[in-house]
Amino acid sequence: MSIFHRVMDRRAHHLWGGREVTLHFTADYRIARFTLPLIERLLADDEDGETYRSSIAHWTLNERPSLHIHQGEVSSLRIDGPLQKAGVSYLPLGGLIESPGVTTHLDPIEAHRLDGRVQEAVERAIRDWIVEHGLYDQPRQRREIDRPKTDREARAVIARWVDEHSAKRATGAMPNASDRPGDCCSGEPGGSLCDACRKGSDHA
């Protein structure tokens, strides 16, 4: 972020901090019906709202709307829209690769081909995870979740993991461990957490 933007952010916070701003929009009914739920989520002054806003912050940085952003540990691939009719198919307008020492733009064909390769890799990783964890043998779960219940359970899992790994670092049981989940579970397939980590059990 530039110095100018930081100054403007501080100034805006000083002027508007603690105040509510009324926003007015005019849109076609078809568009408004679809976007209103999105706007309401973006304006929520809570963790959910912050997450929604962070997930699309790149929209204001990119000249084109992004169709997909594939994010690796240090590298990323952005596929740019809008999609263009190409015979009986559709192609993106281009793409962008960013990696240490590399920034390069892709033409529509290159972007389409690399996007397909990345999607194939993602599909393989998901299918491998399903097999490794025996998910085909388990009953299918409902897509919907009970937020209060599942969020509470998830935070409890995180708290147990933090407590366990903090204790191990304090005793030197994990001399080479980092703060990332699963480092004590390097032998697990697909880099997943072991059962004990997921349950918060004590284990070396």
Side-chain angles (χ1 to χ4, degrees):
M1 180 183 293
S2 69
I3 295 176
F4 173 77
H5 283 133
R6 287 197 294 268
V7 171
M8 292 303 294
D9 284 346
R10 287 196 296 268
R11 181 173 175 80
H13 178 75
H14 175 71
L15 292 175
W16 301 104
R19 298 177 59 183
E20 291 187 348
V21 179
T22 300
L23 305 175
H24 296 279
F25 302 98
T26 300
D28 178 85
Y29 170 75
R30 176 182 58 86
I31 297 174
R33 184 177 61 176
F34 178 79
T35 57
L36 181 58
L38 304 178
I39 294 172
E40 290 174 341
R41 285 168 171 78
L42 289 173
L43 294 179
D45 189 13
D46 55 21
E47 286 184 335
D48 281 9
E50 184 67 23
T51 303
Y52 282 123
R53 291 188 292 274
S54 297
S55 69
I56 63 171
H58 62 273
W59 285 8
T60 60
L61 304 177
N62 304 331
E63 294 78 11
R64 293 169 174 163
S66 302
L67 294 170
H68 309 291
I69 294 183
H70 303 292
Q71 189 73 46
E73 290 187 0
V74 295
S75 304
S76 65
L77 167 64
R78 190 186 78 210
I79 305 299
D80 294 338
L83 282 173
Q84 304 295 301
K85 180 75 172 167
V88 296
S89 185
Y90 289 87
L91 292 174
L93 276 177
L96 176 71
I97 292 175
E98 291 186 293
S99 189
V102 174
T103 298
T104 187
H105 293 274
L106 305 176
D107 67 28
I109 306 303
E110 293 172 331
H112 175 69
R113 288 175 176 169
L114 183 52
D115 188 31
R117 289 174 59 177
V118 174
Q119 290 187 41
E120 290 173 1
V122 171
E123 181 68 19
R124 286 195 301 271
I126 293 173
R127 294 296 183 94
D128 289 347
W129 180 278
I130 290 173
V131 171
E132 291 161 3
H133 292 79
L135 300 184
Y136 285 122
D137 301 324
Q138 300 180 21
R140 293 187 63 172
Q141 299 180 354
R142 291 173 54 88
R143 186 180 187 279
E144 300 77 16
I145 61 174
D146 178 351
R147 279 293 302 273
K149 178 176 181 292
T150 55
D151 286 7
R152 184 171 58 251
E153 292 172 348
R155 290 188 174 100
V157 169
I158 294 170
R160 289 195 298 270
W161 184 89
V162 170
D163 289 344
E164 175 180 325
H165 288 73
S166 295
K168 287 184 176 181
R169 285 193 295 271
T171 59
M174 296 175 61
N176 297 318
S178 72
D179 292 331
R180 294 191 303 174
D183 284 334
C184 66
C185 316
S186 56
E188 289 294 305
S192 62
L193 297 179
C194 64
D195 289 337
C197 259
R198 287 195 296 270
K199 298 175 181 177
S201 304
D202 291 331
H203 68 297

